Amino acid sequence: TVNNNPVNISIIDGKLPTVTTSTANALQFDVNNYKPLDVTVDNQTIKVRAYENIAYVANPVDTAYQSMNIYIPESYFEDKSINGYTAATAPIFMPNAVGGYMPAKPMTVGVGRDGKPNSVAQALHRGMIVASAGARGRTLKSEQGEYYGKAPAAIVDLKAAVRYLKANDGVMAGDAGKIIVNGTSAGGAMTALLGATGDSADYEPYLQKLGAAKASDSVFAVSSYCPITNLEHADMAYEWQLADVVDYKKMSISMLDYNVKRELVPGTLTDGEKQTAQALKQDFPSYVNGLKLIGHDGKLLTLDKDGNGSFKDEVLYHLNKSVNTAHKQGVDLSSYAFLAQKKSAEPYYIADYSEFLKAYTGRSKTPPAFDALDLSAGENNLFGDNATDNRHFTAFGVKHSTATDAKVADAQTVKLMNPMAYLDDKTANTALHWRIRHGAKDSDIGFAIPVILATKLANQGKNVDFAMPWDKGHGGDYDLDELFAWVDSVAK
Ligand code: DHB
């Protein structure tokens, strides 16, 4: 075999059943290797070429996950256009199915959770090329007992897939200069990371080890639903919002993944948990103040030591916009006692925020929500390493750990998972266009996290479309018509 990236990850020494040996041209897109597929949306059927299970790195560790499905409308092989796009100009829609930081397979043409054709099918009908890559995740373990999907595996994999598309831009239909990534929750975090960290040298050693194509890994646009991100600040953000909400409905770690139907177990915070919540809440203002964010009306966003101030007003601004958007769509809001009205084009506002948090959004995690003191959270599991299943990743977690022999993730690995860490980094090529959604009823992560991300991007002059849709809980792809209208607006 010809391989200029010799691999030294012990787990791929031929012991995993899925390992394949690479050749120099393994990363070349083979335009003739497809099966024809009929894709139907709204009683309209189009012909599509399905290129499935393409290994997107030369030295895969696990081809069940490090593989990509690419779908190209047949029209583009007949010199026809769809929705104003041609084979040369069509954007590449790149959705991932990552959930719960678990391993994910590449997506296929199918139906979404709402029973309607999924984003893959709908994107094809709108003339997009679709490329969906799988990625390793936190639970993967070799026969030798080594973990091989811990952070930063998933983001490295997805970057390698982007590189594959860029490297093959000349032979594949579609414009790899217009890659639009899409994902939900942990998958939304992955898309935010892809958008923030384009071409950053930090990922290079990992990409080289995998034998990723030598090409750019920057992307054009990001669609991110409820990103579970900025994890090392997520515990304080959660308690800044919910410290005084002591009743919860909690899911088990196996149900973190938004793709899995949840069973919620009700409970009330213990005295110890209440103290933890208050302590975390107190750490949040200095984090926010250090960001020096500018709000929608040009004001510096700050918080006082009690957690009040213009940053809180900014979160409420987005929530109030959500309420009024629902009102304009004809949603009946009369049953919500926490709302009030004033004489205005946007009459509704949240008059009783505490009650809104208690009665509407609620709490679904116990403190610390992400770096659990007993190492039981999904994110502890994400930040394990080859030999350690679960680790802490915050100073607070380390200091208050209740686990025996608890270990802590190195700062660099934590950085590699946080898009915020790259937005001030001039060596990273950040996506120009961002569409971020976080449901007003989503309690998987604090509202502050998406607000901080969207605000930071806007402050840097990026084109940001951010909203917190009313009555949406933890999930994504619930507004595909609007999503694809947005894609057209940025890609055409
Ligand atoms: C997901 C949800 C969570 O609450 C979390 O902590 C991590 C990931 C998810 O749905 O992907």
Side-chain angles (χ1 to χ4, degrees):
T1 61
V2 185
N3 184 351
N4 33 19
N5 293 307
V7 191
N8 51 14
I9 311 171
S10 57
I11 50 168
I12 73 156
D13 285 339
K15 290 166 197 154
L16 276 172
T18 48
V19 167
T20 56
T21 35
S22 59
T23 57
N25 64 0
L27 298 182
Q28 201 132 55
F29 179 70
D30 180 358
V31 73
N32 296 314
N33 190 11
Y34 68 92
K35 57 173 207 239
L37 195 66
D38 285 344
V39 179
T40 304
V41 173
D42 293 337
N43 296 319
Q44 298 249 345
T45 300
I46 61 167
K47 296 215 173 302
V48 165
R49 295 190 180 186
Y51 303 84
E52 293 184 322
N53 303 314
I54 301 169
Y56 56 72
V57 289
N59 313 311
V61 182
D62 189 338
T63 50
Y65 300 104
Q66 293 169 306
S67 80
M68 179 152 56
N69 293 341
I70 297 174
Y71 301 96
I72 305 177
E74 188 65 44
S75 289
Y76 291 145
F77 298 93
E78 299 162 356
D79 260 352
K80 292 186 194 143
S81 71
I82 310 174
N83 184 25
Y85 297 120
T86 67
T89 65
I92 302 177
F93 182 67
M94 192 179 189
N96 73 67
V98 174
Y101 286 105
M102 300 287 282
K105 300 268 173 73
M107 290 172 70
T108 55
V109 171
V111 288
R113 292 189 71 188
D114 56 6
K116 295 185 195 145
N118 67 4
S119 65
V120 179
Q122 296 204 32
L124 288 163
H125 270 255
R126 291 166 189 260
M128 288 158 210
I129 311 298
V130 178
S132 180
R136 289 168 294 164
R138 62 181 167 83
T139 51
L140 294 173
K141 195 175 180 181
S142 73
E143 276 169 29
Q144 290 68 43
E146 280 189 73
Y147 302 105
Y148 62 94
K150 303 296 188 186
I155 183 60
V156 172
D157 288 351
L158 294 174
K159 276 177 167 292
V162 170
R163 287 185 172 203
Y164 177 98
L165 295 172
K166 297 239 173 172
N168 284 289
D169 199 20
V171 290
M172 227 183 90
D175 179 359
K178 295 225 175 107
I179 295 175
I180 296 112
V181 290
N182 173 69
T184 296
S185 196
M190 289 302 107
T191 63
L193 261 180
L194 286 166
T197 66
D199 304 326
S200 165
D202 285 6
Y203 302 85
E204 193 60 41
Y206 299 92
L207 287 159
Q208 277 197 17
K209 225 176 215 179
L210 290 177
K214 301 241 177 316
S216 165
D217 51 59
S218 67
V219 300
F220 175 70
V222 174
S223 158
S224 179
Y225 291 94
C226 53
I228 303 285
T229 195
N230 200 352
L231 296 170
E232 67 270 36
H233 301 108
D235 292 325
M236 48 178 94
Y238 202 76
E239 300 313 328
W240 172 68
Q241 178 178 324
L242 292 167
D244 297 327
V245 178
V246 297
D247 295 324
Y248 59 80
K249 291 203 179 97
K250 192 176 166 159
M251 66 224 148
S252 70
I253 183 175
S254 60
M255 292 169 187
L256 276 187
D257 183 346
Y258 70 95
N259 290 302
V260 176
K261 190 173 160 22
R262 291 175 164 178
E263 280 161 41
L264 300 171
V265 181
T268 302
L269 298 187
T270 63
D271 287 345
E273 286 170 333
K274 285 179 194 167
Q275 277 170 25
T276 299
Q278 294 299 333
L280 286 165
K281 175 184 173 171
Q282 277 167 25
D283 287 344
F284 188 63
S286 72
Y287 169 61
V288 165
N289 294 340
L291 294 172
K292 308 229 180 319
L293 299 171
I294 306 294
H296 71 283
D297 57 0
K299 279 206 202 99
L300 183 66
L301 302 183
T302 60
L303 292 174
D304 65 21
K305 65 173 180 25
D306 298 324
N308 293 313
S310 51
F311 179 79
K312 187 172 176 181
D313 298 342
E314 187 78 1
V315 171
L316 273 156
Y317 162 79
H318 290 293
L319 289 167
N320 288 337
K321 267 212 325 203
S322 164
V323 179
N324 285 295
T325 301
H327 166 61
K328 283 172 204 160
Q329 290 165 348
V331 175
D332 179 8
L333 301 166
S334 60
S335 65
Y336 299 120
F338 50 78
L339 294 179
Q341 288 184 72
K342 58 183 186 226
K343 275 213 168 67
S344 160
E346 309 248 297
Y348 281 92
Y349 64 99
I350 295 169
D352 187 343
Y353 187 51
S354 308
E355 188 56 26
F356 166 76
L357 292 174
K358 231 178 263 171
Y360 183 81
T361 306
R363 170 192 279 278
S364 57
K365 295 183 174 180
T366 51
F370 298 90
D371 190 0
L373 301 183
D374 62 356
L375 295 174
S376 65
E379 286 72 15
N380 296 121
N381 197 237
L382 167 69
F383 283 113
D385 67 9
N386 287 12
T388 316
D389 202 12
N390 305 291
R391 293 190 297 179
H392 287 298
F393 53 94
T394 64
F396 189 98
V398 172
K399 187 169 169 200
H400 300 279
S401 184
T402 60
T404 25
D405 277 341
K407 296 193 171 62
V408 58
D410 55 289
Q412 183 65 9
T413 302
V414 177
K415 181 188 178 200
L416 290 169
M417 297 305 287
N418 192 343
M420 292 298 295
Y422 290 87
L423 294 179
D424 284 322
D425 181 345
K426 297 219 163 42
T427 68
N429 292 318
T430 308
L432 297 176
H433 307 285
W434 294 72
R435 185 178 192 270
I436 303 171
R437 293 291 180 270
H438 179 100
K441 223 175 191 165
D442 188 340
S443 62
D444 273 46
I445 197 160
F447 297 144
I449 297 297
V451 169
I452 287 171
L453 178 63
T455 305
K456 177 84 188 168
L457 288 160
N459 290 174
Q460 295 191 325
K462 306 302 175 198
N463 172 30
V464 182
D465 178 334
F466 174 59
M468 308 182 75
W470 190 250
D471 261 354
K472 292 296 181 208
H474 190 61
D477 286 3
Y478 40 70
D479 55 356
L480 289 177
D481 281 345
E482 288 167 58
L483 170 64
F484 290 125
W486 176 82
V487 171
D488 285 345
S489 79
V490 299
K492 276 188 182 171

